[in-house]
Amino acid sequence: MANFNTVAGCFLASALFALVVGKVSNAVVDPHHLEKPALAVTDEAPAEAAAPAAVELAPIGPKLASAKVDHGKALFQQQCFTCHTIDKGGINKVGPNQWNLVGRKKASEPGFSYSSGMQAMGGSWTYEDINHMIFKPLAFVKGTKMAFAGLAKEQDRADVIAYLRTMNDSPPPLPEAGAAPAPAAAPEKK
Ligand code: HEC
């Protein structure tokens, strides 16, 4: 009898142990428990990231003529160079090389693999589009791979864009301060 009890006790104890371990490891590794919070986070992120898209930015063009190229160069080296080279023929790093960026077709740097959101943009990089891109990349390009918080200060963005303009074979003309971007003689002006 004593033997039977010991054996039964052992059996019960190990059954209980297995039960407890099973519960605990379920709680730790159960993929369903992990899946939900992860989805909740990704569901919310785009909504929040998209919100700033509504923010209107004042045109940067009129501020470029008086922007400080040297400060823009320093900012570029601090903030952009980790991911972007800017010398002519420079390599693509985490982001594409930026020589000739102003006026360049969007998502067109050879050998760089752009996000689908970036590829879907179309058009070329104008001063104003670059302004939006470096203000809040995610608000400007859906799902962009450019993981950069953005330059909040307008003067900083103007300085960086003025610097980008100097790293170009033939930069588009600077918009005149206070004037429409198109030159007076432009035939397309209505
Ligand atoms: C953490 C890395 C990172 C930093 C920092 C960063 N970028 Fe980018 N950038 C990227 C990536 C990655 C892409 C490609 C985006 C895509 O495909 O969605 C990109 C794309 C761009 C583009 C579009 C280029 C094209 O060929 O169409 C511009 C413009 C740009 N970056 C400007 C800047 C500027 C200016 C700064 C600094 C103020 C900066 N980036 C900082 C990673 C970065």
Side-chain angles (χ1 to χ4, degrees):
M1 207 42 152
N3 253 353
F4 176 75
N5 271 347
T6 312
V7 169
C10 270
F11 181 76
L12 253 170
S14 45
L16 225 126
F17 181 67
L19 216 108
V20 168
V21 167
K23 274 261 150 53
V24 169
S25 55
N26 258 1
V28 175
V29 298
D30 183 358
H32 294 289
H33 284 272
L34 289 176
E35 213 173 304
K36 279 208 172 151
L39 274 179
V41 167
T42 47
D43 274 352
E44 265 167 44
E48 268 187 24
V55 175
E56 287 285 324
L57 284 186
I60 201 81
K63 282 127 196 159
L64 293 179
S66 59
K68 293 182 221 76
V69 172
D70 283 352
H71 183 233
K73 179 178 183 178
L75 274 175
F76 187 92
Q77 280 163 356
Q78 288 162 19
Q79 306 266 355
C80 320
F81 187 72
T82 345
C83 300
H84 295 286
T85 63
I86 193 162
D87 52 316
K88 192 170 187 168
I91 56 160
N92 297 327
K93 298 205 276 183
V94 174
N97 171 263
Q98 303 222 318
W99 178 260
N100 272 352
L101 176 73
V102 187
R104 184 167 93 187
K105 213 166 149 284
K106 286 181 185 135
S108 69
E109 185 62 14
F112 185 79
S113 157
Y114 291 91
S115 65
S116 49
M118 193 69 248
Q119 290 176 43
M121 292 282 291
S124 302
W125 283 111
T126 62
Y127 296 118
E128 300 307 331
D129 281 357
I130 298 173
N131 186 32
H132 278 90
M133 182 69 169
I134 64 179
F135 176 60
K136 291 224 156 94
L138 260 176
F140 188 60
V141 182
K142 194 164 177 273
T144 182
K145 292 202 291 187
M146 175 153 145
F148 177 64
L151 296 173
K153 285 198 207 139
E154 180 181 69
Q155 187 62 53
D156 286 349
R157 296 195 305 275
D159 293 350
V160 166
I161 296 169
Y163 168 64
L164 286 172
R165 183 173 186 273
T166 66
M167 306 302 279
N168 202 302
D169 287 321
S170 54
L174 279 182
E176 278 172 51
E188 56 182 342
K189 212 178 168 195
K190 284 161 205 151

